[in-house]
Amino acid sequence: MQESQDTANVQLPEKLIPEDGRAQLRQMFDPMPNVAELHVYTEKDAKDVMSRFSLQIARELSECSDKVEVYTHDEAEAKELTGPEGLPSIAVRTKGSQHFVLRMLGAPLGHEGAALVKAVSLAGTGDSELSKAAKDNLAKITGGREIMVFGTGT
C-alpha cells in the first residue's frame, strides 16, 4: 500500500487517550484474571498514519495496565493473518490462547476504538458474555465457522 505524502506526514497527538480515560481503563483492565495480548500488524517501519495510530493506541492501552501486552509484527507476518490488503490490523487474544477474540482490519478510529477496548476486556476476563441459551445453540454447531462483522465510520 502506497501512502501519500499528505497522510505520511500527519502528526498524531502525543497522547491519544486522556488521563481520565486512562483511569477508567485501569479500573476495567486491572481486575482481569488473564493477560490480553494485542498483536499489531503494520507495514515495515509503520510510517503511514494509520499504522502509527494503531501502534500508538495499542501501546497506550498497555500503559494502562500490566494485564495488556503489545506485540508488533510486520507485513510478512501479517499475510498469514489478514493478507497484504489488511494493514494495519490488530488481533486480540487471551495470553496463551491460539484463538483470537477479535481481528480488526484498519486503524481503530471512532467506534472501532470502543470495540477494541471491549475485545481487550473479553480476552482478559475469558467471559464471552453470551447467554446460556446462546452458548447451548452454539454448542450444536459442527465444523468450523468464521464470523465477520463489518463497520464503517458513516
Side-chain angles (χ1 to χ4, degrees):
M1 173 190 314
Q2 194 70 314
E3 189 71 22
S4 73
Q5 278 298 101
D6 293 339
T7 60
N9 293 325
V10 170
Q11 295 298 312
L12 296 173
E14 185 175 325
K15 294 290 182 188
L16 297 170
I17 304 172
E19 191 51 48
D20 60 333
R22 289 168 181 263
Q24 290 176 352
L25 290 168
R26 273 186 216 94
Q27 289 178 339
M28 179 186 292
F29 295 158
D30 282 345
M32 298 186 314
N34 306 307
V35 172
E37 296 179 346
L38 295 172
H39 292 263
V40 183
Y41 297 81
T42 62
E43 292 184 10
K44 188 175 183 179
D45 299 328
K47 291 182 182 177
D48 67 280
V49 68
M50 294 303 182
S51 290
R52 289 186 290 120
F53 180 90
S54 297
L55 282 168
Q56 185 172 336
I57 197 73
R59 288 178 177 145
E60 288 187 31
L61 288 172
S62 75
E63 291 169 3
C64 294
S65 175
D66 61 359
K67 297 291 181 93
V68 182
E69 296 178 354
V70 176
Y71 301 87
T72 59
H73 308 275
D74 64 21
E75 62 235 276
E77 295 172 291
K79 289 179 185 177
E80 299 172 19
L81 182 71
T82 63
E85 67 282 347
L87 296 175
S89 65
I90 300 176
V92 182
R93 70 178 175 199
T94 304
K95 186 171 186 129
S97 173
Q98 296 302 309
H99 303 286
F100 290 106
V101 172
L102 171 86
R103 295 179 193 173
M104 180 176 290
L105 303 182
L109 302 165
H111 293 295
E112 293 88 352
L116 178 61
V117 169
K118 184 64 173 181
V120 170
S121 175
L122 292 172
T125 62
D127 182 4
S128 67
E129 297 185 2
L130 293 174
S131 68
K132 181 179 178 340
K135 289 178 184 178
D136 290 345
N137 284 331
L138 288 171
K140 297 174 189 174
I141 296 174
T142 59
R145 297 290 188 270
E146 183 174 352
I147 300 170
M148 300 174 82
V149 177
F150 298 90
T152 67
T154 58

